[in-house]
Amino acid sequence: MHEYLEINPEVKKALAEGKPVVALESTIISHGMPYPKNINTALDVENIVRKHGAVPATIAIFNGKCHVGLSKDQLEYFASTKDVWKVSLRDMPYVISKKLYGATTVAATMRIASMAGIKIFVTGGIGGVHRNANETMDISADLTEMEQTSVAVVSAGIKSILDIGLTLEYLETKGIPVITIGQNEFPSFYSRKSGFSSPLRSDDIIEIANMLHAKWRMGLNGAVLIANPVPAGHEIIAEEMEVHIQKALNAAKERKITGKEVTPFLLQFISEHTKGESLEANIALIKNNAKVGAELAVAYSKS
Ligand code: PSU
Ligand code: MN
């Protein structure tokens, strides 16, 4: 395994000393936001993680290796290069063996983080069961990965481009705890509301850290999904988003977008049609997640 892993010296040292480390994904940089907001956000997020006492480890694939902890130049590469590979689990062996460059999704990032020994991972939102999954069978590998890989995933919930109800059912079936911070309702990424109550709630990061230890010490493998609602000042009302989501879903159907292109297409369409408002919400929530993820990594390393 280690012949395919390249952990940067700062992350390696922190892991060896049992210091808190937070993994970050790269698909959100390459496919989730336009340049240069993506690079600025990626750098800000790393700084927030540091400010709250943890070492950031953004993960991506370069030249046949899974890199854990990227340099500024590497981040800039993923932010500014068009048509970078979006690498989920099924793409990993191809991209690695052909020595291509790839940005990793939640699923691939979790797996690489786990190989490196990182337990806490921060993202914006996970992939899930798509709204018309009964026709398309489109269910993100993020969910199957969460079933088997023991990494905590800090998110702002699940985007309502997906079927949130079915995704919560899937997570329940696979034994993945879902816990929302500070409220009873499960959030929907851009909005603090989703219409679904959260299976679990916590108002205390230490409590969540204890839960992670309990789960994994008992041998209950797999992820915990932590939902951290978007800050109130930055949310977009769910009903407002729904109009854009419907338009995006129709456009995807018309253009026959399938497979791994679906999620990036929907996200970009919505960003364009909300005139950047959704992008600002996205940036605010990922920064908020970085803070909570770092706090969780600190609490986890102490308990
Ligand atoms: N959801 C978001 N923003 C994102 C993604 C998901 O709110 O940027 C990205 C993540 O990298 C996630 C991937 O792992 O999309 C899921 O893609 P798919 O649905 O093709 O599995
Ligand atoms: Mn899919």
Side-chain angles (χ1 to χ4, degrees), residues 25-29 31-33 86-88 103-109 121 123-128 130 138-143 157-159 161-162 189-190 259-264 267 282 285:
E25 64 155 313
S26 43
T27 294
I28 191 170
I29 305 172
H31 292 74
M33 290 180 192
K86 171 187 166 190
V87 179
S88 194
T104 48
T105 63
V106 167
T109 307
F121 163 53
T123 183
I126 61 161
H130 280 261
D138 192 351
I139 299 174
S140 175
D142 293 354
L143 297 183
I158 298 165
K159 270 207 181 88
I161 55 167
L162 301 170
F189 195 89
Y190 297 119
K260 70 185 217 179
E261 315 303 335
V262 173
T263 300
L267 299 187
N282 200 340
L285 67 84

Side-chain angles (χ1 to χ4, degrees), residues 28 32 124-129 131 156-164 167 186-190 241 245 263 266-267 270 278 282 285:
I28 191 170
I126 61 161
V129 180
R131 285 198 188 188
I158 298 165
K159 270 207 181 88
S160 36
I161 55 167
L162 301 170
D163 190 318
I164 295 178
T167 304
F186 186 70
S188 61
F189 195 89
Y190 297 119
M241 271 321 287
I245 290 167
T263 300
L266 295 175
L267 299 187
I270 290 168
S278 68
N282 200 340
L285 67 84

